[in-house]
Amino acid sequence: MNIRTIEWENNKVKLIDQTKLPQRLEYLYIDELKDLWQAIKLLKVRGAPALGAAGALGVYLGIRNSKANNFMQFSKDLERVSSYLASSRPTARNLFWAIDRMHEVVFENSDMSVPKLKELLFEEADKIIKEDMASCRKIGFYGSRVIKDKDAVLTICNAGILATIDYGTALGVIYRAKEDNKEIRVFSCETRPLLQGSRLTAWELKKVGVDVTVICDNMAATLMQKGKINVVITGADRIAANGDSANKIGTFSLAVLAKYHNIPFYVAAPVSTFDLTLKSGKEIPIEERNPREIEELLFKKRVAPIGAKVFNPAFDVTPHNLITGLITDKGIIRPQYIKNIDRVVSLSAGRQVGSR
Ligand code: MRU
C-alpha cells in the first residue's frame, strides 16, 4: 500500500490522523510544535517507530525558527524543544532515541553556524525516516522465516504501516511472508480501550489484501485452545537489556496463553526500540492514560457508571522467558537474551546512550 504515516511536506509535518480511521483516511498538516505534541498525546500519530519519526521531525519543527545566533543559545532552545516533546508520552523508546540522535548531531557539530546546524537537523530527521523504512523491511526479511505457508498469526494493537513510516514491524513480517508467496491468515485482537487492532490493523491488512479476522481481546484463549493459532507476533514499545518487552496492554496475557498452549511467541522491533540502560522490564515507564478511554467507547458512549474507579495502563511488560525470539532488523535474537541482546544491539546501534 502506497501510503506514508508521517513525513515532511511543504514545510509541515504531514501525518495520517489515526483517530479518524477506519472511517476516513485524513491527513493533518502541522506547523506548530504544540500541535504535534497534542497529536502524539491523543494518538493521532502513534506506534513506537512512528513516534521516533515524530520526535525527529518535531525537534526540527520546533527549532527551525530559533532566533539564536550562537551555539549556547541554540543548544538551550534545542533542550527546551526536546524536553517538551519528550513529555508527550513516556513508554516508546524510539521517541527518546530519535530526540537523542538529533541532540548528538548538534553537539558533534558545535563549531558550525546556527543555519548549518538547522540544516543538519533536517538531514538527520530525514535519515531517521529512511532508516525506519529500511529496518522494517529487514525485520520482515528475518521474520518471514518463522512463518509457514497457511499459518494463522495472532497479533495485538497495530505494529504495521501505521505504527512506522510505511511497512511495519510485526505486520512487516506478515507483508514479507505474503511477498514470499505464503498464504497467511491474521487474527487481530481489537485492543481495548482504543481499538488499534480493529480500527488500524484490520484496516491496513484489508487494504493490502491479507485475510484478517478481528476478535475481542478475551477470545484469544479459545482460539488457541481450538488449535487455530500457529504463531503470535507483536510489536514492542521498549525492550530492556534482558529482553523484557513493553507493548500494548494485553500483550503479556497473550504471551502467557501462548506458553500454556505451546505456541511460539515473537516480538518484532528495530534495535532503536531496545533500551540497554534498563536492566529489566521493571524499570520501563508505563503510561497511564485518561480514564475516559475506558469509561466511554471512543469518547462517544458511556459504558461505565459515573463514579466507578478506572485503571488505564496503556502498556504491559512481557517477561523475556515467555518470548521465543526477538525479530529485529539485525536478525532474530533468541535466549540467552542478556548476552545475545548485548552482542547484537550494542554493536549495531552504537547509540544506546539513553539520556532520557
Ligand atoms: O498506544 P499505541 O497505539 O502507541 O501503542 C502502540 C503499540 O503498543 C505498538 O504495538 C508498538 O508501538 C509497536 S509499533 C511497531
Side-chain angles (χ1 to χ4, degrees):
M1 187 170 38
N2 201 15
I3 57 165
R4 288 225 185 152
T5 300
I6 177 165
E7 62 189 321
W8 184 259
E9 195 180 284
N10 294 331
N11 279 319
K12 294 187 169 97
V13 178
K14 176 185 176 190
L15 54 88
I16 294 176
D17 182 349
Q18 300 191 28
T19 61
K20 296 288 190 323
L21 287 169
Q23 283 88 355
R24 287 186 302 284
L25 177 58
E26 222 174 86
Y27 289 87
L28 288 172
Y29 296 83
I30 295 177
D31 58 3
E32 293 281 346
L33 186 62
K34 64 173 179 19
D35 295 334
L36 185 63
W37 189 95
Q38 198 69 5
I40 295 172
K41 186 79 184 168
L42 299 179
L43 311 198
K44 288 171 189 289
V45 59
R46 40 130 323 266
L51 290 179
L57 290 175
V59 167
Y60 178 69
L61 184 73
I63 201 78
R64 67 182 169 161
N65 295 325
S66 161
K67 303 266 186 298
N69 52 23
N70 61 52
F71 184 79
M72 274 290 264
Q73 281 172 3
F74 189 72
S75 56
K76 272 192 193 146
D77 285 352
L78 180 69
E79 186 47 47
R80 189 178 34 77
V81 167
S82 306
S83 316
Y84 178 59
L85 273 169
S87 69
S88 55
R89 294 190 73 193
T91 305
R93 168 68 183 152
N94 308 57
L95 174 66
F96 308 101
W97 167 85
I99 294 172
D100 284 348
R101 258 183 77 162
M102 299 293 272
H103 265 236
E104 271 179 54
V105 161
V106 168
F107 283 89
E108 277 165 8
N109 293 284
S110 54
D111 54 331
M112 303 265 185
S113 68
V114 168
K116 184 66 194 168
L117 288 173
K118 289 182 183 174
E119 226 176 87
L120 290 177
L121 282 172
F122 181 74
E123 283 167 17
E124 190 67 11
D126 189 52
K127 232 164 108 188
I128 287 172
I129 287 175
K130 292 200 172 109
E131 281 175 22
D132 178 71
M133 295 162 82
S135 68
C136 284
R137 281 159 180 83
K138 287 194 191 134
I139 289 170
F141 168 77
Y142 292 117
S144 171
R145 297 173 186 176
V146 307
I147 299 196
K148 295 185 294 301
D149 190 32
K150 306 233 174 346
D151 266 358
V153 181
L154 179 70
T155 192
I156 185 167
C157 196
N158 174 268
I161 294 168
L162 293 164
T164 60
I165 303 298
D166 71 342
Y167 197 74
T169 54
L171 298 192
V173 170
I174 286 154
Y175 296 141
R176 177 59 195 249
K178 183 175 188 290
E179 286 157 28
D180 292 340
N181 294 318
K182 294 174 198 169
E183 206 184 296
I184 309 296
R185 277 175 312 128
V186 176
F187 287 90
S188 178
C189 293
E190 64 174 355
T191 320
R192 271 286 284 154
L194 294 178
L195 306 178
Q196 290 94 327
S198 56
R199 291 189 305 104
L200 309 176
T201 292
W203 180 82
E204 65 167 83
L205 286 174
K206 234 178 140 270
K207 288 264 177 214
V208 177
V210 174
D211 180 330
V212 57
T213 305
V214 178
I215 58 164
C216 295
D217 301 336
N218 48 8
M219 295 169 186
T222 205
L223 271 180
M224 289 187 186
Q225 192 182 44
K226 289 178 192 303
K228 303 263 188 225
I229 303 293
N230 302 100
V231 54
V232 182
I233 310 183
T234 76
D237 281 82
R238 200 185 284 235
I239 302 175
N242 68 346
D244 292 352
S245 299
N247 192 51
K248 180 53 58 192
I249 191 77
T251 305
F252 174 34
S253 22
L254 294 183
V256 174
L257 287 172
K259 187 76 163 184
Y260 181 80
H261 291 97
N262 256 319
I263 296 168
F265 180 95
Y266 288 94
V267 171
V271 291
S272 49
T273 300
F274 286 74
D275 187 347
L276 301 194
T277 67
L278 306 184
K279 279 206 183 96
S280 83
K282 286 194 187 115
E283 296 171 53
I284 298 177
I286 299 294
E287 177 182 14
E288 269 200 49
R289 292 188 59 86
N290 189 338
R292 281 187 60 205
E293 293 177 353
I294 289 180
E295 292 164 347
E296 301 162 14
L297 273 185
L298 299 179
F299 307 102
K300 289 195 181 94
K301 185 184 162 90
R302 182 163 264 282
V303 288
I306 292 171
K309 284 191 267 181
V310 165
F311 176 49
N312 187 16
F315 303 96
D316 57 24
V317 176
T318 299
H320 60 272
N321 60 337
L322 298 181
I323 300 173
T324 311
L326 299 162
I327 306 169
T328 78
D329 43 334
K330 305 291 173 193
I332 302 181
I333 306 176
R334 295 185 188 269
Q336 310 279 326
Y337 283 122
I338 296 182
K339 183 166 57 89
N340 293 341
I341 288 174
D342 185 53
R343 185 173 45 81
V344 174
V345 180
S346 56
L347 284 185
S348 59
R351 291 181 189 276
Q352 288 288 324
V353 277
S355 56
R356 278 158 225 282

